[in-house]
Amino acid sequence: MTTLLLNIKELLQTEDAPKMMVSGAEMKKLPTIKNAYLLIEDSEIRDFGSMENLPKINADETIDVSGKIVLPTWVDSHTHIVYAGNREQEFVDRINGLSYEEIANRGGGILNSAKKLQEISEEELFEQSRKRLEEVMALGTGAVEIKSGYGLTLEAELKMLRVIKRLKETYDLPIKATFLGAHAVPANYKENKEGYMNYVIDEMLPKVAEENLAEFVDIFCETGYFSVEDTDRLLEAGKKYGMIPKIHVNQFTAIGGVQSGVKHEALSVDHLEEMREEDIKILKGSKTMPVGLPSCSYFLSIPYTPARKMIDAGLPLALATDYNPGSTPSGNMNFVVATACIKMKMTPEEAINAATINGAYAMGISDTHGSICIGKKANFMITKEIPSYGFIPYSFGSNCIESVFINGKKI
Ligand code: NIG
Ligand code: FE
C-alpha cells in the first residue's frame, strides 16, 4: 500500500542522514522543504522531496494537502497517563492557598492517587487510560512513554504496568513503560523509607523484570521523597535487570540527582525547574537528555526549566507533557510547544526539535521516529490550513492539527 501526499505547503523536520538528537545552536535549525511531496509505503516513509522533482509514481492513494503543513508526530517521552480518578479538589485547595507540598504532607498528592489506584479494577484502569491515550493521539502524539508509580504496592504497580502492556498491544504507536515504584513513600512506610526502598528493589523490581513489564526505571529524587543515595541504589539495581534509568529530578530542589543520572548514564533527566551551574556542566557531553515539562510549571506556578541557559550552553533539550492527575492534568503537546516558546523563550524551531527528534532520543527511538527520513516510521501529522509553522505555538490553545498518521495509517 502506497500513499502520496502532494502540494505540502511545508514539510518539516526532513533528514537525509538520520541523527540521534540536536543540541545547542543546532536546535535553532529546522530543516524543511516548501512545496513538497511525501511518499509512504505501508508503515514507512519511502521518499520525499520538492514537488519540482516529483518522480512518476503510481500510488494507491493520493492526498492533496495544499495550504497545509506536514510534520512528524510529537514524541511525548514523559507521562503518567495510567491513573485512576482525578484530583480537582487539590487544584481548588491550591487556588485557596495550600501549596503542592502542604497537600502532599496531608496525605494528598501522589498518595491520594495511589489510594484510588489500589481500589480500581485493572479493566476500569485500562478504560480510563485508553481514553486519555486516544485524546492525545488525536492532538498529534505519535509515541509515548508511560510510568507506573501510583501503585506503591507490588500488586498495584503490576496492575499499572499490565495496563501499559495492554495499551501497547492495543495501539499502533510506540509505547515505552517505566517502572516508578519509588515515586513516593507510602503511609505504612512513613517512618521507614529504607524499608520501602528494600521492598521496591527486592520485591517489586524482580517481579517487574520477570514479567518483562518495563524498559526503564525511574525515581522521584527530591527533598522529602527519595535521596541521591536512594537514586544510586535503585538505578544500580535496575541496571542488573537491563532497565535503563530515567529520573524525576530538580523539580523543587537541586540535591545532586542530575549528577547521579549522568553517572548511571540515564537516558534522560526530567523536570529540571531548578538548575545550578554544576548541573548544566555535568550534562554537557553526556549521553543524558535533559527534559523540560512546561505544562507542569504552568499548572503548579513553579519556575520553568531554564531552556535558554541550557541550550545556549550547548545542551540538547527535549519537551514532554508529564500528563498526570496532580501536577499536569493535560497531555496536549501543542500546548507544551507553545508554552516553551512563550514562557521559556525557545524559538519555534527549537521547540519543534525538542518535541520530535529530542523526545525520540529520550524514548530511545530516534532511529525510527522523530523526523521525516526515508526508512523511518510514517508517523506524521497534517495541520489545518495555517500561514506558517510558527502559527502552531503562536495560536496557543487552538488546535492546528487536522489529521494524524501512525505507521502510515490515518487514525
Ligand atoms: O512528574 N513529581 C513527581 N511526580 C509527578 C507528579 C505526581 C503527582 O502529583 O501526582 C510529576 O510532576
Ligand atoms: Fe512526571
Side-chain angles (χ1 to χ4, degrees), residues 12-27:
L12 310 188
Q13 194 63 302
T14 53
E15 269 186 336
D16 295 325
K19 47 190 176 312
M20 297 304 276
M21 58 146 111
V22 278
S23 50
E26 282 291 306
M27 285 189 72

Side-chain angles (χ1 to χ4, degrees), residues 300-335:
L300 293 185
S301 301
I302 61 175
Y304 288 85
T305 302
R308 263 298 33 101
K309 230 171 142 180
M310 293 164 70
I311 296 172
D312 293 346
L315 292 188
L317 185 67
L319 291 167
T321 63
D322 200 18
Y323 198 174
N324 76 75
S327 72
T328 324
S330 161
N332 188 344
M333 279 296 285
N334 303 283
F335 181 79

Side-chain angles (χ1 to χ4, degrees), residues 86-313:
N86 286 288
R87 307 215 309 256
E88 65 271 31
Q89 185 52 48
E90 293 180 6
F91 166 65
V92 176
D93 291 343
R94 279 195 301 108
I95 293 169
N96 287 323
L98 284 184
S99 69
Y100 182 79
E101 203 182 354
E102 284 163 338
I103 291 167
N105 290 340
R106 297 198 316 184
I110 296 168
L111 299 188
N112 182 0
S113 285
K115 187 167 179 293
K116 293 186 207 290
L117 196 129
Q118 286 160 15
E119 287 163 2
I120 200 175
S121 72
E122 195 169 312
E123 188 58 34
E124 175 58 18
L125 184 62
F126 176 75
E127 286 307 321
Q128 289 190 15
S129 307
R130 80 183 293 172
K131 282 200 191 93
R132 285 187 280 268
L133 183 60
E134 286 178 14
E135 180 204 351
V136 302
M137 286 170 75
L139 291 167
T141 296
V144 67
E145 179 264 12
I146 311 174
K147 300 174 196 296
S148 72
Y150 287 121
L152 310 184
T153 65
L154 173 62
E155 200 190 346
E157 284 293 308
L158 291 176
K159 177 162 59 182
M160 289 187 82
L161 290 164
R162 286 176 188 142
V163 165
I164 301 174
K165 187 176 175 197
R166 211 171 136 196
L167 292 170
K168 283 189 193 188
E169 291 161 357
T170 311
Y171 294 90
D172 238 5
L173 79 171
I175 295 178
K176 297 274 181 178
T178 301
F179 171 57
L180 177 58
H183 195 192
V185 180
N188 55 332
Y189 282 95
K190 197 164 185 244
E191 306 304 329
N192 181 17
K193 190 189 62 174
E194 202 192 324
Y196 184 64
M197 280 306 292
N198 293 340
Y199 178 52
V200 168
I201 289 172
D202 300 334
E203 297 188 43
M204 292 188 187
L205 205 50
K207 197 84 180 95
V208 172
E210 189 188 306
E211 286 194 38
N212 208 359
L213 289 172
E215 284 92 357
F216 305 132
V217 60
D218 194 346
I219 181 165
F220 190 14
C221 179
E222 183 58 64
T223 309
Y225 291 82
F226 297 96
S227 65
V228 173
E229 290 68 38
D230 297 329
T231 304
D232 280 335
R233 216 186 130 197
L234 178 73
L235 300 189
E236 207 50 64
K239 268 199 273 186
K240 294 204 180 96
Y241 294 100
M243 288 182 211
I244 299 164
K246 274 177 163 288
I247 325 181
H248 278 74
V249 72
N250 291 37
Q251 182 177 6
F252 301 109
T253 55
I255 57 173
V258 172
Q259 283 67 15
S260 170
V262 171
K263 184 170 78 189
H264 293 283
E265 296 195 335
L267 187 55
S268 70
V269 283
D270 302 31
H271 272 289
L272 310 179
E273 289 86 343
E274 299 296 334
M275 285 295 272
R276 305 168 299 184
E277 289 304 331
E278 63 217 84
D279 300 327
I280 292 178
K281 211 161 141 206
I282 194 90
L283 283 167
K284 200 110 194 255
S286 79
K287 293 191 179 126
T288 301
M289 175 65 71
V291 181
L293 309 166
S295 304
C296 174
S297 299
Y298 176 85
F299 189 72
L300 293 185
S301 301
I302 61 175
Y304 288 85
T305 302
R308 263 298 33 101
K309 230 171 142 180
M310 293 164 70
I311 296 172
D312 293 346

